[in-house]
Coordinates of all heavy atoms in Angstrom, one line a residue:
F137 N -3.6 6.4 10.3 CA -4.5 6.6 11.4 C -5.7 6.1 11.3 O -6.3 5.4 12.1 CB -4.4 8.2 11.8 CG -5.3 8.5 12.9 CD1 -5.1 8.3 14.3 CD2 -6.7 8.9 12.6 CE1 -5.9 8.5 15.3 CE2 -7.5 9.2 13.8 CZ -7.2 9.1 14.9
L145 N -13.7 0.8 15.7 CA -14.8 1.6 15.7 C -16.0 1.0 14.9 O -17.1 1.6 14.6 CB -14.5 3.0 15.2 CG -13.4 3.7 15.9 CD1 -12.9 4.9 15.1 CD2 -14.1 4.3 17.3
D148 N -17.9 2.4 11.6 CA -19.0 3.5 11.6 C -18.6 4.8 11.4 O -17.8 5.2 12.2 CB -19.7 3.3 13.0 CG -20.9 4.2 13.2 OD1 -20.9 5.4 12.8 OD2 -22.0 3.7 13.7
M149 N -19.0 5.4 10.4 CA -18.4 6.8 10.0 C -18.6 7.8 11.1 O -17.8 8.7 11.4 CB -19.0 7.3 8.6 CG -18.6 8.6 8.2 SD -16.8 8.7 7.8 CE -17.0 8.2 6.1
S150 N -19.9 7.8 11.7 CA -20.2 8.8 12.6 C -19.4 8.6 13.9 O -18.9 9.7 14.5 CB -21.7 8.7 13.1 OG -22.0 7.5 13.6
N151 N -19.1 7.4 14.4 CA -18.2 7.2 15.4 C -16.7 7.6 15.1 O -16.0 8.1 15.9 CB -18.2 5.8 15.9 CG -19.4 5.3 16.7 OD1 -20.1 6.1 17.3 ND2 -19.7 4.0 16.8
L152 N -16.3 7.3 13.9 CA -15.0 7.6 13.4 C -14.9 9.2 13.5 O -13.8 9.7 14.0 CB -14.7 7.1 12.1 CG -13.3 7.5 11.5 CD1 -12.3 6.9 12.4 CD2 -13.3 6.9 10.0
E153 N -15.9 10.0 13.0 CA -15.7 11.4 13.0 C -15.6 11.9 14.4 O -14.9 12.9 14.7 CB -16.9 12.0 12.3 CG -16.9 11.7 10.7 CD -18.0 12.3 10.1 OE1 -19.1 12.4 10.7 OE2 -18.0 12.4 8.8
K154 N -16.4 11.4 15.3 CA -16.4 11.8 16.8 C -14.9 11.5 17.4 O -14.4 12.3 18.1 CB -17.5 11.1 17.5 CG -18.9 11.5 17.2 CD -19.9 10.6 18.0 CE -21.2 10.9 17.6 NZ -22.3 10.2 18.3
F155 N -14.5 10.3 17.0 CA -13.3 9.9 17.4 C -12.1 10.9 17.0 O -11.2 11.3 17.7 CB -12.9 8.5 17.1 CG -11.6 8.0 17.6 CD1 -11.4 7.8 18.9 CD2 -10.5 7.5 16.7 CE1 -10.2 7.1 19.4 CE2 -9.4 7.0 17.2 CZ -9.2 6.8 18.6
V156 N -12.2 11.1 15.7 CA -11.1 12.1 15.3 C -11.2 13.5 15.9 O -10.3 14.2 16.2 CB -11.4 12.4 13.5 CG1 -10.6 13.4 13.0 CG2 -11.0 11.0 12.9
F157 N -12.5 13.9 16.1 CA -12.7 15.3 16.7 C -12.2 15.3 18.1 O -11.5 16.3 18.5 CB -14.2 15.5 16.8 CG -14.5 16.9 17.4 CD1 -14.3 18.1 16.6 CD2 -14.9 17.1 18.6 CE1 -14.5 19.3 17.0 CE2 -15.3 18.2 19.2 CZ -15.0 19.3 18.5
L158 N -12.3 14.2 18.8 CA -11.8 14.2 20.2 C -10.3 13.9 20.4 O -9.7 14.3 21.3 CB -12.6 13.0 21.1 CG -14.1 13.4 21.3 CD1 -14.7 12.1 21.8 CD2 -14.3 14.5 22.1
T159 N -9.8 13.3 19.3 CA -8.4 12.9 19.5 C -7.4 13.8 18.8 O -6.4 14.2 19.5 CB -8.2 11.5 18.7 OG1 -9.1 10.6 19.2 CG2 -6.9 10.8 19.1
W160 N -7.7 14.3 17.6 CA -6.7 15.2 17.0 C -7.6 16.5 16.7 O -8.7 16.5 16.5 CB -6.3 14.6 15.7 CG -5.1 13.6 16.0 CD1 -4.6 13.1 17.1 CD2 -4.5 12.8 15.0 NE1 -3.7 12.3 16.9 CE2 -3.5 12.0 15.6 CE3 -4.5 12.6 13.6 CZ2 -2.7 11.1 15.0 CZ3 -3.8 11.8 12.9 CH2 -2.9 11.0 13.6
K165 N -6.7 17.4 12.1 CA -8.2 17.0 11.9 C -8.5 17.4 10.5 O -9.3 16.6 9.8 CB -8.9 17.7 12.8 CG -10.4 17.5 12.8 CD -11.2 18.0 13.9 CE -12.8 17.9 13.7 NZ -13.4 18.5 12.5
E169 N -10.1 14.9 7.5 CA -11.3 15.2 6.8 C -11.1 15.2 5.3 O -11.9 14.7 4.5 CB -11.9 16.4 7.4 CG -12.5 16.4 8.8 CD -12.9 17.8 9.4 OE1 -12.5 18.8 8.8 OE2 -13.6 17.8 10.3
L172 N -10.9 11.6 4.2 CA -12.2 11.0 4.1 C -12.9 11.5 2.9 O -13.7 10.6 2.2 CB -13.0 11.3 5.4 CG -12.6 10.7 6.6 CD1 -13.3 11.2 7.8 CD2 -12.7 9.2 6.5

Side-chain angles (χ1 to χ4, degrees):
F137 172 79
L145 295 166
D148 188 314
M149 176 69 85
S150 61
N151 283 341
L152 180 61
E153 289 175 340
K154 292 176 185 176
F155 184 64
V156 169
F157 180 77
L158 292 172
T159 307
W160 284 357
K165 180 174 180 289
E169 291 174 341
L172 288 172

